[in-house]
Amino acid sequence: MKIRPVCLFILSLTAAASSMRGQDAVSSTASGEEAESERIIVSATRIDVPLDQSPASVSVVTSQDIEVKQIERVSDALREVPGLSVVQTGSAGQLTSVFTRGLRSEHTQVLLDGVPINQGLQGAFDFANLTTDDVDRIEVVRGPQSTLYGPRALAGVIQIFTKQGGGTPGIILSAEGGSYDTFRETIESDGKIDQFDYSIGASRIDTDNARPNNQYRNTASLANVGWAPNEQLRIGSLVMYSLSDTGNPNTILDPKPVDNFLTEKWLIAPHVDFRPVEWWDHKFIFSYDHERQLNDPNQDGFVGPTRALFERTTIDYQNDLRPTSWLTLTSGFFYSRVNAGQERPFILQIFGPQPTFVSDHTQETAGFLQATLTPVENLIFVAGGRLDHFNQFGDTWTYRFAGSYKIDQTNTTLHSSVATGFSPPSSQDKIFGMNFGLQPEKDLGWDAGIEQRLWENRVTIGATYFHNDLSNLIGFNGLFETLNLGAAYTQGVETELRAQPIVDLIVMASYTYLDAEKTSSADINQPVGARLPRRPRNEVYISASYLWCKKLRTTLAAKWVNAREELNFGGPNFDIEDYSFVNFAAEYEINAHLSIFGRIDNLTNEHYAEVFGFPALGRVAYGGVRLHW
């Protein structure tokens, strides 16, 4: 059965090649298509590729999308992307996870300008405190991407790109207030002065939310600065800092009146982009990031107050060599060193001796090679492999094949891929896994899709079928031990629509169908055949934005989520209610330097919870003013 994805991949490319041979190459002159071809993405191949020729299943959320919908956090921007499920444990500031194609949150690699930012003992990324300040675009690549990005890219990659300053420096200031004593202030500035460019964004939010002990305070900043003495060289650095302080009210079934959690993160990542000649590029990134967590008091009744520290150093070198016009060889080297530790001096000893300090040290060294071929116009074929070596469990090998073909006559793109991915045991897994020799979780995934552009590119429709076979999953045996026990599969369909029927109207929609089932009996968390918890079977998103008289922009967005189950720890899962919400946003430009804005989230006052027992906010309203010059 494992040969099936490879066969389908070859068949899809054969069909594309047959279409190519049967038609003459005709270049389109429609202005809309030229604009589409100018949109370039990076994450699917690590090199520049036109979005309409991507060999992977990719979605892009632009800064314009973020601005018109008044999105303040990256997690809310991801709610419109097919194949992703965003799960927030209650209100703003609480743990926020993203599941890609039904896989766990730690199976998605999150990158910021090429720098991995998954953190913590679990190895997942908590989107609760990642704001949209200084964000230029978000690229989401679905399907195993470990060949390009290594660990945690089992399900896919979410890469956030910051803005790069250009032109005359400008500044934007905004302030808003609203429900539950919410106040938020932001500042953004970017520009270029001679050979120096910069962009910076910072924000502060204070809100009490709805429940007792549910307050949230967050300060965040992000900057991208660079120096380019000529067109061949840019030396820059990425700098990020955030400090968040939250009350943790816990589930409504077991409230915690004083539990508090503080998280402080900072990252610095100098980088060099160098092109000595037209056919040879070098990219070098050195990064260091640091996360400090303080949970005091921790009212769980077992562990008690804790203090944790996570630090990571990475080196990423990429070399793009173009020996001919139809071949690009991308190779690179990656090194990572992670130290994680947690102090828990008051942990109870009722279940036997429990350590008061736990820690983990992980080192990874990797090399990868990818060939991108364009033997004929509009046909892209990608093949690559990667070897990762870890200090604790040795070597892991991954591969990836992907291809796309764009048919100019019908403005259609066919794409397919087959790849392997892996996710190493997290520090948390290894701490509770004791000496059981945990091995990486693995995935064989494949997909095939089509994208059709109509009406001079005013309408774009895409659909992709995907399948993942997961093995070696780390599970729980009921004795406070984790082992490689599990197996599962996920499969489904992702569809996406983007339309601009008239200049001032933008319509977007997406639909995801997901079947996610456990297939192993060894892991006692769920019985065999159980649906993986918190993975909705159906998700629908739709939005429409219209600019009235070139002054007033209004946006209406809605989401519906259906057929979810919650984990019952060994017994049959139980159903969670479906939910939907509607958000409305408006902004009016008074003059070139001043605008006022407002929005209403959960317009219909829906009572729902994305995680059982952790209710989301009801109807809330916010309003503010924005200055820019």
Side-chain angles (χ1 to χ4, degrees), residues 313-335:
T313 302
T314 67
I315 297 173
D316 191 315
Y317 169 70
Q318 179 178 330
N319 175 15
D320 301 322
L321 183 65
R322 292 175 290 278
T324 68
S325 60
W326 52 269
L327 174 64
T328 301
L329 297 174
T330 300
S331 59
F333 166 84
F334 180 79
Y335 170 79

Side-chain angles (χ1 to χ4, degrees), residues 265-286:
K265 300 179 183 179
W266 62 270
L267 174 149
I268 183 169
H271 56 85
V272 178
D273 297 282
F274 180 48
R275 174 179 288 183
V277 290
E278 186 65 26
W279 44 269
W280 197 11
D281 290 329
H282 302 268
K283 299 178 182 178
F284 176 84
I285 303 175
F286 172 85

Side-chain angles (χ1 to χ4, degrees), residues 94-112:
Q94 300 299 311
L95 176 66
T96 306
S97 304
V98 175
F99 302 92
T100 303
R101 289 183 170 176
L103 279 69
R104 293 207 300 263
S105 57
E106 61 264 38
H107 292 161
T108 298
Q109 180 65 71
V110 184
L111 302 162
L112 182 62

